[in-house]
Amino acid sequence: MDPRGAAAGPAAHAPSRPLQEPYSLRCAPQIIGAVLDQLSATDEVLAREATGCTDNPVYYEGEFLHAGNFHAMPVGLASDTSGLCLQQIAFLAERQLALLCTPATNGGRAPMLTPHPGASSGLAGVQLSATSFTSRIRQLVYPASLTALPTNGGNQDRVPMALNGANAVSEAIDLAWLVVGSLGLGATQYAALTREEGAAEEPARDGGVWRELSRVSPPLRADRPMAAEVQAARDVLAAAAARLIDEEEDRADAQAEGEHR
């Protein structure tokens, strides 16, 4: 692909924007790309472990071989890596939401994207919750492999704690989706605010993610509970992500089938 055509749209620099955006915007492709590289590597490890021999002892050519094939360090490190990658995505989303909620970085719009500055809170509760979720994710994904303790009379003196790591990542995933949903809601409210100012167009009327987000989170007119809207935005984005993954897998399968022929 020609890199000159990779970024569509005007290249002119708006005077109202800084020459260099914060890393959470400018370096998002590098952050997400690094995460995808690591997750791709862990996929290979997990697939190999799932299809490998983890019995003990192993009976081979008339001999019983006692070893540690069941030792879950490969899976444990994969869980730890997945958790650290997950934290990077949640942290990125939380920072981007903060940029949307801050006048210095949101184009001079109201703090917390409230339509009534000073009289209402806008997205303050949403951002505070996203920050709390991100902090909790960091607590959960501390590498479990670093918490090993000897047990079983010292026989198991170097336990990988892989299941602890996997359980922690599972819990952290739920929180990370709430952070991503919060960002989706923030982007929706930002678009609504800019539309009211005449600086943005209406979402496309033929469906799509942005149209669906606008449906589940209508423009703020006054403070209201937003937990359900964050959850709805999470569901919209999760469904869109699942569709993209399915499409990518279908393309990969079709390509592999074509190469096989």
Side-chain angles (χ1 to χ4, degrees), residues 7-172:
H13 173 253
S16 61
R17 302 302 304 176
L19 179 61
Q20 292 188 334
E21 299 285 1
Y23 275 10
S24 295
L25 296 178
R26 183 158 46 107
C27 298
Q30 287 73 23
I31 296 168
I32 296 171
V35 165
L36 291 176
D37 285 344
Q38 292 299 312
L39 294 180
S40 178
T42 61
D43 280 350
E44 295 180 11
V45 172
L46 293 174
R48 186 167 63 241
E49 288 299 304
T51 57
C53 177
T54 57
D55 293 335
N56 185 59
V58 174
Y59 184 74
Y60 180 72
E61 295 186 350
E63 290 188 78
F64 287 98
L65 305 177
H66 292 268
N69 299 312
F70 55 84
H71 197 279
M73 183 55 78
V75 177
L77 291 178
S79 292
D80 288 348
T81 299
S82 298
L84 295 175
C85 289
L86 180 68
Q87 185 278 149
Q88 291 293 337
I89 297 300
F91 182 35
L92 179 65
E94 189 274 340
R95 287 293 82 205
Q96 290 179 345
L97 176 60
L99 295 175
L100 284 174
C101 292
T102 305
T105 53
N106 70 6
R109 290 169 178 84
M112 301 300 162
L113 302 180
T114 175
H116 306 293
S120 60
S121 299
L123 298 186
V126 173
Q127 191 202 1
L128 286 167
S129 296
T131 302
S132 178
F133 295 151
T134 304
S135 176
R136 178 58 180 154
I137 289 169
R138 289 181 173 182
Q139 295 168 1
L140 287 167
V141 303
Y142 180 87
S145 57
L146 294 180
T147 66
L149 293 170
T151 189
N152 194 224
N155 176 46
Q156 298 179 20
D157 65 337
R158 203 182 188 290
V159 181
M161 298 297 177
L163 184 57
N164 285 354
N167 286 336
V169 170
S170 177
E171 184 178 343

Side-chain angles (χ1 to χ4, degrees), residues 97 123 126 174-189 208-218 224 226-243:
L97 176 60
L123 298 186
V126 173
D174 293 337
L175 295 175
W177 270 118
L178 288 174
V179 179
V180 172
S182 299
L183 174 60
L185 187 146
T188 301
Q189 292 300 326
V209 172
W210 295 114
R211 183 68 177 175
E212 187 65 13
L213 286 172
S214 296
R215 183 187 68 79
V216 301
S217 183
R224 63 178 186 251
M226 304 201 75
E229 293 178 35
V230 169
Q231 294 168 350
R234 170 203 61 191
D235 294 343
V236 168
L237 293 171
R243 288 194 298 270

